[in-house]
Amino acid sequence: MPAAVRHDWTRDEVVALFALPFNDLLFRAHAVHREHHDPNAVQVSTLLSIKTGGCPEDCAYCPQAARYDTGVQAQKLLEIDEVLQRARAAKDAGASRFCMGAAWRGPKDRDIPKVAAIVRAVKDLGLETCATLGLLGDGHAQALKDAGLDYYNHNIDTAPEFYGEIIHTRDYQDRLVTLEQVRDAGLKTCCGGIVGMGETREQRAGLLQALANLPAHPQSVPINQLVPVPGTPLANAEPLDPFEFVRAIAVARILMPRSIVRLSAGRQQMDDAVQALCFFAGAGSIFLGDKLLTTGNPDVAADHALFRRLDLHPMEVVEQANTVHADIAEGVAASCGQGCGCSAAA
């Protein structure tokens, strides 16, 4: 039987998954991944900072916070032509989704029409669109949806009980409210978190439990490994054991079987063998390009070479009803479920 989609995971259950012998955990996670996804297809996104630096928040991991001396200079919102140039290059390199981030606490009403115009222009290139703009105000999510936005990214970052150790300028509940607005507007959600910020394993379990127990599982779940940046409070954070990171990918896959789990920030610090384990454990998406907002990422040639070595291929984009979808989780919901690597809906 296909893995059931649940929203009632207990903390003890999630901690118990983390505690499984490593090979047993990976075996279980890969079985779930194969039930719901093509195990050799990887969704490829590119992330561009369309408004960099000067953020008033105090997220302890973020080099774009104005209060930290990280060398990141505040910049205005990019012009459409510059964004389109980068989007075309991303598509030519193999990306099917173009993600745009702005270093705001949240956009002002006057910002939304500008971002909406960018979204329309990128969508016209035949790319999926995703935006991460911070906390949304009334009507913002619907306006972005009307412009053709496919996904809205808004991470919960960490476990509810550890959140206050990382961020003080917005509440955990603020994030849940924005996620609700996004769902109500009919946008797909991209929501994950960061591991390696000094949290305990139980708190890592708490992050994944919180994601899995949202009213609807995020269609895209980025799991980031902290990239320590000089000048931020977490600059000297102790590195996370790479196998513990693989465990986080595997547990996320088990808890949210239909979601696409993204192997996100921190890949530049991982060797190819660790990345291969992450793909086996259920990661089905990466960011392509040498930069994620302001931090490093493997270069495009290295990723193409890794795909060849692992016999992976980019997930195909399927156009449906005047929009663009590369979301395999929806595509397999109506498929055969007869052992071909996909699954009928649970």
Side-chain angles (χ1 to χ4, degrees):
M1 291 293 292
V5 175
R6 293 176 50 189
H7 301 269
D8 60 352
W9 291 93
T10 68
R11 181 68 62 90
D12 286 346
E13 286 178 308
V14 182
V15 170
L17 289 174
F18 268 97
L20 286 171
F22 188 74
N23 286 340
D24 292 350
L25 175 60
L26 262 61
F27 179 82
R28 179 169 172 182
H30 184 74
V32 171
H33 188 54
R34 187 171 287 270
E35 284 178 356
H36 291 273
H37 305 267
D38 179 345
N40 299 307
V42 177
Q43 191 280 320
V44 179
S45 297
T46 291
L47 176 61
L48 173 67
S49 178
I50 61 172
K51 188 277 173 188
T52 302
C55 183
E57 303 278 25
D58 72 345
C59 306
Y61 53 81
C62 186
Q64 300 201 66
R67 67 191 68 206
Y68 305 140
D69 183 12
T70 63
V72 174
Q73 301 297 316
Q75 300 174 12
K76 295 181 179 179
L77 187 69
L78 295 180
E79 297 294 332
I80 289 181
D81 288 347
E82 186 172 356
V83 176
L84 286 179
Q85 181 182 359
R86 300 289 293 272
R88 291 188 187 99
K91 185 176 182 181
D92 290 344
S96 60
R97 186 179 306 162
F98 195 69
C99 306
M100 296 161 279
W104 287 318
R105 172 177 170 81
K108 296 180 173 61
D109 288 346
R110 66 173 182 267
D111 298 318
I112 295 296
K114 300 175 185 177
V115 176
I118 293 173
V119 168
R120 289 190 192 96
V122 172
K123 192 66 177 288
D124 285 345
L125 298 178
L127 287 162
E128 282 191 309
T129 53
C130 179
T132 177
L133 314 173
L135 300 172
L136 295 179
D138 291 343
H140 290 177
Q142 188 60 56
L144 293 169
K145 169 70 173 177
D146 292 344
L149 190 69
D150 294 299
Y151 287 80
Y152 193 81
N153 167 261
H154 200 61
N155 293 335
I156 62 172
D157 284 351
T158 190
E161 71 271 19
F162 191 63
Y163 185 88
E165 300 295 319
I166 303 299
I167 303 165
H168 309 94
T169 50
R170 72 171 83 175
D171 295 333
Y172 185 81
Q173 186 61 32
D174 292 333
R175 295 188 181 260
L176 299 184
V177 169
T178 287
L179 288 170
E180 183 178 12
Q181 292 172 324
V182 169
R183 290 191 300 268
D184 288 349
L187 288 164
K188 296 179 182 181
T189 55
C190 175
C191 183
I194 307 170
V195 299
M197 297 192 293
E199 76 283 349
T200 64
R201 175 182 278 186
E202 182 172 346
Q203 288 163 339
R204 280 190 288 281
L207 162 66
L208 299 181
Q209 178 198 15
L211 290 167
N213 287 350
L214 288 169
H217 289 170
Q219 285 87 354
S220 179
V221 181
I223 304 297
N224 300 273
Q225 180 168 276
L226 176 71
V227 179
V229 177
T232 64
L234 292 177
N236 298 313
E238 184 176 349
L240 186 68
D241 184 300
F243 296 134
E244 188 69 12
F245 182 83
V246 177
R247 285 182 184 272
I249 293 287
V251 173
R253 164 49 61 232
I254 293 168
L255 298 183
M256 294 166 281
R258 294 182 186 167
S259 302
I260 295 181
V261 177
R262 177 179 294 138
L263 176 57
S264 198
R267 284 202 303 124
Q268 192 174 42
Q269 287 71 46
M270 300 176 195
D271 63 30
D272 289 351
V274 170
Q275 292 189 64
L277 284 173
C278 288
F279 290 126
F280 184 81
S285 176
I286 62 165
F287 279 122
L288 186 74
D290 61 2
K291 184 177 286 189
L292 301 182
L293 298 180
T294 61
T295 57
N297 197 50
D299 64 38
V300 171
D303 280 333
H304 287 170
L306 182 60
F307 272 36
R308 288 193 297 270
R309 292 168 65 200
L310 299 179
D311 299 309
L312 300 174
H313 58 269
M315 192 179 295
E316 292 185 7
V317 175
V318 178
E319 296 189 20
Q320 296 176 345
N322 300 317
T323 190
V324 180
H325 296 286
D327 188 346
I328 197 170
E330 289 192 351
V332 302
S335 58
C336 66
Q338 300 298 313
C340 63
C342 63
S343 174

